[in-house]
Amino acid sequence: MSHFWSEAVRGLSPYVPGEQPRHPRLVKLNTNESPYGPSPQVLAAVAATDGDSLRRYPDPDASALRGCIATHYGLAPEQVFVGNGSDEVLAHAFLGLLKHPRPLAFPEISYSFYPVWCGLYGIEAVRVPLDAELGIDVGAFPEDCGGIILPNPNAPTGRLLELNEIERLLAAHGDCVVVVDEAYIDFGGRSSALLIARHPNLLVVQTLSKSRALAGLRVGFALGDAALIEGLVRVKDSFNSYPLDAIAQRAAIASFEDQAWFEDSCRRVVATRERVTAALESLGFAVLPSAANFVFARPPAGAAPALFKALREDGIIVRHFDRPRIREYLRISIGTDEEMDRLLSAVGAWCAAAPESGRDTR
Ligand code: PMP
């Protein structure tokens, strides 16, 4: 705490990102990054960057990239917004579309950045309880909220809502903006982008960080009615008019141009996810059905914190959230088959060493 801080800064509770240690032997399964890396075409686009494109400011509207994303989703460029990672896009949505006199509603367990933006922008929040299986109950959102945001699939549970459920939510809340945060949709769900034509209150947010293996490039985007997008542009142009640098704009386009690479890496992640789910289940874990590039798994006999620690000592990093309802679970990102084999053998050894029943090492 410093007396130089503004009152606003003193009141913040910042988001804590997953750690990024650089140890070479580490198996890093804690931030849902892609194990396979981006398309070679992306790397070629980065390498082709010339001095002129860096000397000048980039296109503030990222027109070529927005056009490319619009074509990909069958939308108009005016229905596409891009930002520096979907975190920035979401932050602009909080300020520009979700801050209203009535509170913003989101699932009690969802992306832990949401309450941080509420704190930053002074937005009152209501948390909507999940059902007994940690699924989102779209009927549980309060009638009188000023906005709704939910990840689909949800994070960190990985559970998916089908489009008919999203549509039910949109129909019941036509008077406020509903943001569907689809950071993980490419690993097992259908995008709500299909519903945009019928629902002017729907904003779909996606990222190139996960399924396109570009977390380091920082590119995210939003799709929605042109009026919603204009609201985001107003925030952007009051904050930073050049959020995407010249390299990011070109590389992101190259990523969309290599559909085969994208589909193949998603397919591989999904296949590994299914194999890991079955293997964990056979070790006595309860694994939630995941449509994401991670699994949310409960080790036998409430041992999540102890297993988290043991894996860490083995050089395997996963994520544990010490929060009500989910502190018995670990979130494990899907890595390469080799990495997951190392995880499974460490987990197997740990289970074999644990006493048969009633283990509770908390
Ligand atoms: N939404 C969800 C649900 C996430 O898990 C993440 C990743 N932490 C993001 C958005 C943000 O991702 P990025 O800023 O890399 O696009």
Side-chain angles (χ1 to χ4, degrees), residues 127-206:
R127 286 152 205 260
V128 181
L130 298 187
D131 66 22
E133 282 79 46
L134 298 180
I136 293 174
D137 173 5
V138 295
F141 284 81
E143 243 171 59
D144 60 344
C145 47
I148 290 176
I149 182 161
L150 71 165
N152 192 42
N154 198 6
T157 65
R159 296 211 46 188
L160 180 76
L161 285 177
E162 298 295 341
L163 285 197
N164 61 332
E165 291 290 290
I166 300 285
E167 192 141 41
R168 193 151 78 82
L169 183 69
L170 287 162
H173 298 275
D175 59 339
C176 73
V177 172
V178 175
V179 177
V180 183
D181 175 358
E182 294 189 337
Y184 303 102
I185 195 72
D186 296 326
F187 301 104
R190 282 170 76 211
S191 173
S192 296
L194 290 166
L195 307 175
I196 284 170
R198 289 203 298 278
H199 297 278
N201 61 327
L202 167 63
L203 190 79
V204 176
V205 176
Q206 289 201 11

Side-chain angles (χ1 to χ4, degrees), residues 15 31-32 84-88 90 110-114 117 151-155 181-184 205-210 214-215 218-221 294 319 331:
Y15 175 72
T31 49
N32 304 334
N84 192 260
S86 62
D87 277 343
E88 185 183 76
L90 290 165
S110 61
Y111 185 26
S112 45
F113 221 136
Y114 300 162
W117 286 311
N152 192 42
N154 198 6
D181 175 358
E182 294 189 337
Y184 303 102
V205 176
Q206 289 201 11
T207 177
L208 276 66
S209 296
K210 315 292 181 183
L214 289 169
R218 311 306 302 132
V219 183
F221 59 94
F294 55 83
R319 195 117 191 227
R331 192 195 69 187

